[in-house]
Amino acid sequence: DAKTTQPNSMESNEEEPVHLPCNHSTISGTDYIHWYRQLPSQGPEYVIHGLTSNVNNRMASLAIAEDRKSSTLILHRATLRDAAVYYCTFHNQAGTALIFGKGTTLSVSS
Amino acid sequence: SAVISQKPSRDICQRGTSLTIQCQVDSQVTMMFWYRQQPGQSLTLIATANQGSEATYESGFVIDKFPISRPNLTFSTLTVSNMSPEDSSIYLCSAPVQGNYGYTFGSGTRLTVV
């Protein structure tokens, strides 16, 4: 069973920020939250991960709720190349498998 | 970060035959994972492959259908045996990235069974 809940799809315009939400109410205190994206005809690509604090990298920002039961992936300025399926997931031990939910299909319009 | 080379990238196979998919990682990893992605769907974990021991299969997947080898810390194969059209999917391998909690994925094998 999927342990995360995400909207099926979202739309954005180029150059605008995008906030992709994820609910993970069964997360435990030691679980890391991960986000991946999958471009058409490619394998998933790591985007960002975090435990408790908000995280930033060159691709995106991750905002984690105080109770850790939800998180938001933030793309600060969407581009056409950001059109993909975005998956959030979590796990509590490095080296164990990621379990994927259905993900959010992001469409970006020019 | 680690890079996985996966091949073949695609194949069209006759029903009843078998296909072996290979994944080569450019660094040593303890665990490797195999996923199936049916058309328009998310990724489903098939099994976890440890070096030197039998793979651990998820519910709904059995060793006779999806035998896995893990001869060393940089390589793994997944065989799809006695194929039927229902096995038409994308198959992906994955491994954790050293020193990071991220994971890297192969580019996938698109299998069509006719």
Side-chain angles (χ1 to χ4, degrees), chain A residues 32 34 36 38 40-46 49 87 91-103, chain B residues 10 31 33 35 37 41-45 48 58 90 92 94 96 100-108 110:
Chain A
Y32 280 79
H34 285 242
Y36 288 77
Q38 187 174 24
S41 300
Q42 295 187 23
E45 173 189 29
Y46 168 81
H49 77 277
Y87 297 100
H91 75 115
N92 63 7
Q93 183 177 355
T96 57
L98 295 175
I99 304 300
F100 289 85
K102 295 183 178 181
Chain B
R10 59 179 62 228
M31 303 276 200
F33 310 100
Y35 293 85
Q37 187 171 29
Q41 303 297 313
S42 180
L43 287 78
T44 300
L45 180 67
T48 298
E58 299 298 304
I90 297 172
L92 300 111
S94 176
N100 185 307
Y101 276 83
Y103 290 68
T104 190
F105 287 79
S107 55
R110 183 179 296 271

Side-chain angles (χ1 to χ4, degrees), chain A residues 6-11 20 82-87 102-108, chain B residues 40:
Chain A
Q6 298 177 252
N8 289 333
S9 62
M10 293 186 66
E11 297 180 354
L20 297 164
D82 291 323
V85 180
Y86 287 79
Y87 297 100
K102 295 183 178 181
T104 296
T105 300
L106 175 65
S107 303
V108 181

Side-chain angles (χ1 to χ4, degrees), chain B residues 6 8-12 19 21 35-44 46 61 66 78 80 83-92 108-113:
Chain B
Q6 182 174 345
S9 59
R10 59 179 62 228
D11 208 340
I12 301 173
L19 176 72
I21 302 166
Y35 293 85
R36 181 175 71 183
Q37 187 171 29
Q38 295 177 306
Q41 303 297 313
S42 180
L43 287 78
T44 300
I46 297 172
F61 299 96
F66 297 101
L78 171 77
V80 186
M83 288 183 286
S84 67
E86 291 71 34
D87 294 320
S88 297
S89 286
I90 297 172
Y91 293 86
L92 300 111
T109 297
R110 183 179 296 271
L111 170 62
T112 302
V113 184

Side-chain angles (χ1 to χ4, degrees), chain A residues 38-58:
Chain A
Q38 187 174 24
L39 302 171
S41 300
Q42 295 187 23
E45 173 189 29
Y46 168 81
V47 178
I48 201 166
H49 77 277
L51 184 61
T52 55
S53 303
N54 294 343
V55 183
N56 300 294
N57 66 20
R58 64 176 180 81

Side-chain angles (χ1 to χ4, degrees), chain B residues 68-89:
Chain B
I68 289 171
S69 76
R70 187 81 207 279
N72 58 53
L73 290 174
T74 64
F75 188 79
S76 180
T77 67
L78 171 77
T79 299
V80 186
S81 302
N82 188 25
M83 288 183 286
S84 67
E86 291 71 34
D87 294 320
S88 297
S89 286

